[in-house]
Amino acid sequence: TSAVSLTNYAYPSKIIETADSSLMIIGVQGLGPAPLTQMFVMKVAYDGTLLWKKNYYGANYENKLTGIVEGPDHNFYLCGGMEDRFASFLIKAVIIKITPSGDLLWNRVYNDTVGIHASMSDICLSGAGLMCCMSENTSRIVLKTDWDGNVLWSNRYNVSDGQAMLQNFVMGFL
């Protein structure tokens, strides 16, 4: 049995098996006043040994990861949201690309149409790029990006279940 030290609270949100048979675990962990939370990524060997753990944050309040996928180049694409707390809450959707050792390659921040509340809820591979589902107040936005996170197209859908919609939507492309 292996134990990993996390903060007061830690919530894993997704786990995947990688091409090298290890596991990648993503989630959010609490810190304190500012930032309130950080994103975390852990790589665990098949036998349960912790290989590494890294934290990421870009906002002064809440930072969370909700999706992960391994790319054809064996780098990893993460998605989630970052929330700044100023006069009001500003939630931004984010895609992050990291190496197999957790080093940051790039990150892209995406706004909803009114620039207030948006968060990536899921990510998957699709052809020569990524498909992402961005949740906002009353709708979901599906983004198609290239491997560098540049938006090729986006469509808005007035639905409540963005993750299931994305999975069904992508299945139509495969």
Side-chain angles (χ1 to χ4, degrees):
T1 304
S2 297
V4 176
S5 177
L6 296 170
T7 58
N8 296 349
Y9 73 9
Y11 298 102
S13 57
K14 196 136 198 179
I15 182 170
I16 64 167
E17 184 174 4
T18 65
D20 66 2
S21 297
S22 60
L23 302 173
M24 294 286 277
I25 304 167
I26 64 165
V28 61
Q29 66 179 7
L31 291 175
L36 180 65
T37 61
Q38 285 187 350
M39 305 166 181
F40 76 83
V41 179
M42 297 174 12
K43 187 168 186 177
V44 178
Y46 192 75
D47 67 0
T49 304
L50 177 66
L51 300 173
W52 55 260
K53 177 184 170 286
K54 297 204 177 182
N55 297 328
Y56 309 93
Y57 66 94
N60 70 6
Y61 188 66
E62 185 174 38
N63 301 271
K64 64 181 178 177
L65 289 174
T66 55
I68 181 172
V69 66
E70 184 172 6
D73 59 358
H74 301 292
N75 290 309
F76 294 89
Y77 296 88
L78 316 169
C79 73
M82 302 183 308
E83 183 174 350
D84 281 319
R85 188 179 220 186
F86 298 109
S88 64
F89 292 100
L90 301 172
I91 304 169
K92 306 296 180 196
V94 63
I95 298 175
I96 301 169
K97 184 177 181 180
I98 62 172
T99 66
S101 59
D103 297 325
L104 179 68
L105 293 172
W106 54 256
N107 69 294
R108 304 282 184 267
V109 176
Y110 306 88
N111 297 325
D112 68 353
T113 53
V114 293
I116 298 175
H117 301 289
S119 183
M120 289 293 178
S121 58
D122 208 355
I123 189 168
C124 65
L125 304 179
S126 175
L130 304 167
M131 294 289 289
C132 308
C133 185
M134 186 166 83
S135 302
E136 56 174 18
N137 287 341
T138 60
S139 62
R140 303 297 178 258
I141 299 173
V142 174
L143 302 174
K144 168 72 174 173
T145 72
D146 63 17
W147 294 120
D148 293 320
N150 300 307
V151 176
L152 301 174
W153 58 260
S154 66
N155 287 320
R156 175 184 308 280
Y157 302 92
N158 292 319
V159 296
S160 59
D161 187 3
Q163 289 179 330
M165 180 198 65
L166 177 62
Q167 291 167 355
N168 292 333
F169 188 76
V170 171
M171 291 305 287
F173 282 97
L174 300 178

Short mmCIF file of all heavy atoms in Angstrom, two decimals, residues 44-70:
data_model
loop_
_atom_site.label_atom_id
_atom_site.label_comp_id
_atom_site.label_asym_id
_atom_site.label_seq_id
_atom_site.Cartn_x
_atom_site.Cartn_y
_atom_site.Cartn_z
N VAL A 44 1.41 7.59 -11.21
CA VAL A 44 1.59 6.45 -10.33
C VAL A 44 1.96 5.24 -11.18
O VAL A 44 1.31 4.97 -12.20
CB VAL A 44 0.29 6.18 -9.53
CG1 VAL A 44 0.44 4.97 -8.63
CG2 VAL A 44 -0.11 7.42 -8.73
N ALA A 45 3.00 4.52 -10.77
CA ALA A 45 3.41 3.31 -11.48
C ALA A 45 2.33 2.25 -11.33
O ALA A 45 1.48 2.31 -10.43
CB ALA A 45 4.73 2.80 -10.94
N TYR A 46 2.38 1.26 -12.19
CA TYR A 46 1.38 0.19 -12.19
C TYR A 46 1.30 -0.51 -10.83
O TYR A 46 0.24 -0.95 -10.41
CB TYR A 46 1.69 -0.82 -13.29
CG TYR A 46 0.57 -1.78 -13.53
CD1 TYR A 46 -0.59 -1.40 -14.19
CD2 TYR A 46 0.66 -3.09 -13.07
CE1 TYR A 46 -1.62 -2.28 -14.41
CE2 TYR A 46 -0.38 -3.99 -13.27
CZ TYR A 46 -1.51 -3.58 -13.95
OH TYR A 46 -2.54 -4.45 -14.15
N ASP A 47 2.43 -0.56 -10.09
CA ASP A 47 2.46 -1.22 -8.78
C ASP A 47 2.02 -0.30 -7.64
O ASP A 47 2.06 -0.68 -6.48
CB ASP A 47 3.84 -1.79 -8.48
CG ASP A 47 4.91 -0.71 -8.30
OD1 ASP A 47 4.59 0.50 -8.41
OD2 ASP A 47 6.08 -1.08 -8.06
N GLY A 48 1.61 0.95 -7.97
CA GLY A 48 1.13 1.87 -6.96
C GLY A 48 2.18 2.85 -6.44
O GLY A 48 1.87 3.73 -5.64
N THR A 49 3.40 2.75 -6.89
CA THR A 49 4.46 3.66 -6.47
C THR A 49 4.24 5.04 -7.08
O THR A 49 4.05 5.16 -8.29
CB THR A 49 5.84 3.13 -6.90
OG1 THR A 49 6.01 1.82 -6.39
CG2 THR A 49 6.96 4.04 -6.43
N LEU A 50 4.28 6.08 -6.24
CA LEU A 50 4.16 7.44 -6.74
C LEU A 50 5.42 7.81 -7.51
O LEU A 50 6.53 7.76 -6.97
CB LEU A 50 3.95 8.42 -5.58
CG LEU A 50 3.88 9.90 -5.98
CD1 LEU A 50 2.64 10.18 -6.83
CD2 LEU A 50 3.90 10.77 -4.74
N LEU A 51 5.28 8.17 -8.78
CA LEU A 51 6.41 8.58 -9.59
C LEU A 51 6.66 10.08 -9.46
O LEU A 51 7.80 10.51 -9.36
CB LEU A 51 6.19 8.20 -11.05
CG LEU A 51 6.01 6.69 -11.30
CD1 LEU A 51 5.62 6.42 -12.75
CD2 LEU A 51 7.28 5.94 -10.92
N TRP A 52 5.59 10.86 -9.48
CA TRP A 52 5.69 12.30 -9.24
C TRP A 52 4.30 12.88 -9.00
O TRP A 52 3.31 12.27 -9.34
CB TRP A 52 6.41 13.04 -10.37
CG TRP A 52 5.86 12.84 -11.75
CD1 TRP A 52 6.34 11.99 -12.71
CD2 TRP A 52 4.73 13.50 -12.35
NE1 TRP A 52 5.58 12.08 -13.85
CE2 TRP A 52 4.60 13.00 -13.66
CE3 TRP A 52 3.83 14.46 -11.91
CZ2 TRP A 52 3.60 13.43 -14.52
CZ3 TRP A 52 2.83 14.88 -12.76
CH2 TRP A 52 2.73 14.36 -14.06
N LYS A 53 4.29 14.08 -8.41
CA LYS A 53 3.06 14.84 -8.19
C LYS A 53 3.40 16.31 -8.40
O LYS A 53 4.41 16.79 -7.91
CB LYS A 53 2.53 14.63 -6.78
CG LYS A 53 1.29 15.46 -6.49
CD LYS A 53 0.86 15.30 -5.04
CE LYS A 53 -0.19 16.28 -4.67
NZ LYS A 53 0.31 17.64 -4.51
N LYS A 54 2.56 16.99 -9.17
CA LYS A 54 2.79 18.41 -9.44
C LYS A 54 1.49 19.18 -9.25
O LYS A 54 0.41 18.67 -9.46
CB LYS A 54 3.31 18.62 -10.85
CG LYS A 54 4.67 17.95 -11.04
CD LYS A 54 5.45 18.56 -12.14
CE LYS A 54 6.81 17.86 -12.18
NZ LYS A 54 7.68 18.38 -13.17
N ASN A 55 1.65 20.44 -8.83
CA ASN A 55 0.52 21.35 -8.65
C ASN A 55 0.62 22.47 -9.69
O ASN A 55 1.73 22.89 -10.04
CB ASN A 55 0.53 21.98 -7.26
CG ASN A 55 0.36 20.96 -6.19
OD1 ASN A 55 -0.31 19.96 -6.37
ND2 ASN A 55 0.97 21.18 -5.04
N TYR A 56 -0.54 22.94 -10.13
CA TYR A 56 -0.61 24.04 -11.07
C TYR A 56 -1.71 24.98 -10.61
O TYR A 56 -2.71 24.55 -10.07
CB TYR A 56 -0.97 23.55 -12.48
CG TYR A 56 -0.11 22.41 -12.98
CD1 TYR A 56 -0.51 21.09 -12.79
CD2 TYR A 56 1.08 22.66 -13.63
CE1 TYR A 56 0.28 20.04 -13.25
CE2 TYR A 56 1.87 21.62 -14.08
CZ TYR A 56 1.46 20.31 -13.89
OH TYR A 56 2.24 19.28 -14.32
N TYR A 57 -1.51 26.25 -10.83
CA TYR A 57 -2.59 27.21 -10.63
C TYR A 57 -2.30 28.47 -11.43
O TYR A 57 -1.16 28.79 -11.70
CB TYR A 57 -2.84 27.53 -9.16
CG TYR A 57 -1.73 28.26 -8.45
CD1 TYR A 57 -1.73 29.64 -8.36
CD2 TYR A 57 -0.69 27.57 -7.87
CE1 TYR A 57 -0.72 30.31 -7.71
CE2 TYR A 57 0.33 28.22 -7.20
CZ TYR A 57 0.31 29.60 -7.14
OH TYR A 57 1.32 30.26 -6.50
N GLY A 58 -3.36 29.14 -11.82
CA GLY A 58 -3.21 30.36 -12.59
C GLY A 58 -4.16 31.45 -12.13
O GLY A 58 -4.12 32.56 -12.62
N ALA A 59 -5.02 31.12 -11.19
CA ALA A 59 -6.00 32.09 -10.69
C ALA A 59 -5.81 32.28 -9.19
O ALA A 59 -5.21 31.45 -8.52
CB ALA A 59 -7.42 31.60 -10.99
N ASN A 60 -6.34 33.37 -8.68
CA ASN A 60 -6.12 33.69 -7.27
C ASN A 60 -7.15 33.08 -6.33
O ASN A 60 -7.08 33.29 -5.13
CB ASN A 60 -6.07 35.21 -7.07
CG ASN A 60 -7.41 35.89 -7.26
OD1 ASN A 60 -8.44 35.24 -7.44
ND2 ASN A 60 -7.40 37.20 -7.22
N TYR A 61 -8.11 32.31 -6.86
CA TYR A 61 -9.12 31.75 -5.97
C TYR A 61 -9.23 30.24 -6.11
O TYR A 61 -8.77 29.49 -5.28
CB TYR A 61 -10.47 32.43 -6.20
CG TYR A 61 -11.52 32.04 -5.20
CD1 TYR A 61 -11.39 32.39 -3.86
CD2 TYR A 61 -12.63 31.30 -5.58
CE1 TYR A 61 -12.33 32.02 -2.93
CE2 TYR A 61 -13.58 30.93 -4.66
CZ TYR A 61 -13.43 31.28 -3.33
OH TYR A 61 -14.37 30.90 -2.43
N GLU A 62 -9.85 29.77 -7.19
CA GLU A 62 -10.04 28.33 -7.35
C GLU A 62 -9.45 27.87 -8.68
O GLU A 62 -9.60 28.52 -9.70
CB GLU A 62 -11.53 27.96 -7.29
CG GLU A 62 -11.76 26.48 -7.34
CD GLU A 62 -13.22 26.10 -7.13
OE1 GLU A 62 -14.10 26.80 -7.62
OE2 GLU A 62 -13.44 25.08 -6.47
N ASN A 63 -8.78 26.72 -8.64
CA ASN A 63 -8.16 26.12 -9.82
C ASN A 63 -8.51 24.64 -9.79
O ASN A 63 -8.24 23.97 -8.80
CB ASN A 63 -6.65 26.29 -9.76
CG ASN A 63 -6.23 27.74 -9.69
OD1 ASN A 63 -6.04 28.38 -10.70
ND2 ASN A 63 -6.08 28.28 -8.48
N LYS A 64 -9.13 24.12 -10.86
CA LYS A 64 -9.54 22.72 -10.84
C LYS A 64 -9.30 22.06 -12.19
O LYS A 64 -9.35 22.72 -13.23
CB LYS A 64 -11.01 22.60 -10.45
CG LYS A 64 -11.96 23.23 -11.45
CD LYS A 64 -13.40 23.10 -11.03
CE LYS A 64 -14.31 23.78 -12.04
NZ LYS A 64 -15.70 23.63 -11.72
N LEU A 65 -9.04 20.76 -12.15
CA LEU A 65 -8.92 19.95 -13.36
C LEU A 65 -10.08 18.97 -13.41
O LEU A 65 -10.43 18.37 -12.39
CB LEU A 65 -7.60 19.17 -13.37
CG LEU A 65 -6.35 20.01 -13.57
CD1 LEU A 65 -5.10 19.16 -13.41
CD2 LEU A 65 -6.36 20.70 -14.93
N THR A 66 -10.65 18.80 -14.60
CA THR A 66 -11.79 17.90 -14.76
C THR A 66 -11.59 16.84 -15.83
O THR A 66 -12.33 15.87 -15.87
CB THR A 66 -13.05 18.71 -15.11
OG1 THR A 66 -12.77 19.50 -16.27
CG2 THR A 66 -13.47 19.62 -13.97
N GLY A 67 -10.61 17.02 -16.72
CA GLY A 67 -10.41 16.06 -17.79
C GLY A 67 -8.95 15.90 -18.16
O GLY A 67 -8.15 16.81 -17.99
N ILE A 68 -8.60 14.71 -18.65
CA ILE A 68 -7.24 14.41 -19.09
C ILE A 68 -7.31 13.40 -20.22
O ILE A 68 -8.16 12.51 -20.22
CB ILE A 68 -6.37 13.88 -17.93
CG1 ILE A 68 -4.94 13.60 -18.41
CG2 ILE A 68 -6.99 12.66 -17.29
CD1 ILE A 68 -3.96 13.26 -17.28
N VAL A 69 -6.42 13.56 -21.19
CA VAL A 69 -6.30 12.61 -22.29
C VAL A 69 -4.83 12.58 -22.71
O VAL A 69 -4.13 13.59 -22.64
CB VAL A 69 -7.24 12.98 -23.46
CG1 VAL A 69 -6.85 14.29 -24.11
CG2 VAL A 69 -7.33 11.88 -24.47
N GLU A 70 -4.38 11.40 -23.11
CA GLU A 70 -3.01 11.26 -23.61
C GLU A 70 -3.01 11.45 -25.12
O GLU A 70 -3.80 10.83 -25.84
CB GLU A 70 -2.44 9.88 -23.26
CG GLU A 70 -0.99 9.70 -23.65
CD GLU A 70 -0.39 8.40 -23.14
OE1 GLU A 70 -1.14 7.56 -22.56
OE2 GLU A 70 0.82 8.21 -23.31
#
